[in-house]
Amino acid sequence: MENMRVGRGRGTSVRRAVRALTWMLSVLLLVGCGRAERTGEDATAAAGTETPGAVTMADLLRDSGNIPAQTEVPEVSDTVLWFNASYACLTYANGWDWRWVGGMEPTEENAQTAKYFLYSSWQVMDRESGIEVVNKLLSGGHRAECRKCMDELEEWGLMEMDGTRFGEEVIKITEGERTDIDLGDAPGRYVLAYYMYHKGMEAEYIAAWDLCRVNELYANLYLCGFMEYEEAMDASLENSLRLQKMYDSWDEMVEAYLFGYQFWQADLGGADSPTSERRSYYEMLKNSDDSPYELDWNMELKKSW
C-alpha cells in the first residue's frame, strides 16, 4: 500500500482531470445528444453481438463445474412461458434455459443452486426473507430510489439547470469542490435521473426492472421449496398482468427494464458497459430460433396450472 503514495500529488491531479473529463463527456452524451434511451449509440451499434470479454454467470459456473443439468424442454402453458420470458435475459446470462421456470429443472441439485443465488444476490435464506424482498420491489424498488434522486436534485436546485451547467456542478461535487451536496456512492444515478426528468420520463417508467425481478424471485422461491408451484404461479400471474398493462410490447418493456438496470448500475453507457452487455443478451434471445419474444405480448394471461 505504501508504494501507491509515490508521486501522490501529480497522480491525484491526473486522476481528477480524467474523472472530470469522463463525467463531462458522459453528461453531454446523455443530455446534449439525447441518446441514453438505448444506452448510447455505441451500445446500439453493438447490439446483436456479444460484448468482447464479457464474463457471464454461465462462464463462472462452467469454470467451477457447477452448471445445472438440463433435460428435455418442459411442457408448460404459454402463460407460464410468458412469465419466464419476462426475466429471460437474466436466465440467459446465467447460462440456463428460459423455458424452465427459474431457468432450471426442479431437482434437488438445482434447488441448492437457486438457494445459493438467492442468498448471494438478495440475502434471502427462507420464505419470510424472500417475501420481504418481493414486497420491497413491489412497493417501490429502484423506481423509489429514482424518485428520491429526482426530488433531491430539485431540492438542491440542480434539476432545472441546462445540461452543460449541470455537468459542471456534478464535476464540482464529485471532485469535492462543493461539499454542500452529497451524491453518495452512485452519482451516476443522479445523472440518469436528471436525464429522465428532462425527457419527460417518470420514475415509474423503470418499473419493468423491479417487476421482472419479482417474477424471477417467485420462480426461484419455488425452485428452493420456499413457495409451492401453484402459489408462485398465482403470484406471477398477478404481477405479470400489472406488467402487461404498463407496457405495449416486449421491446417497450425491455427498454424500460434496461433503463432500470442502467440506473441500478449507475452506468452512463458505452460499448463495453454492463447495460450494453445485458442488451446484447436481449438481442441474441430475440433473434434465436426459440425466442421467448415470439410470444404474443398481449396474450390473455390466465391460470393454467
Side-chain angles (χ1 to χ4, degrees), residues 262-275:
Q262 184 176 7
F263 177 83
W264 170 61
Q265 289 275 8
D267 171 20
L268 296 180
D272 296 324
S273 71
T275 308

Side-chain angles (χ1 to χ4, degrees), residues 169-185:
E169 293 305 310
V170 167
I171 291 169
K172 290 178 183 178
I173 296 165
T174 56
E175 294 303 315
E177 295 178 28
R178 285 193 64 173
T179 59
D180 58 319
I181 294 176
D182 182 8
L183 298 181
D185 296 329

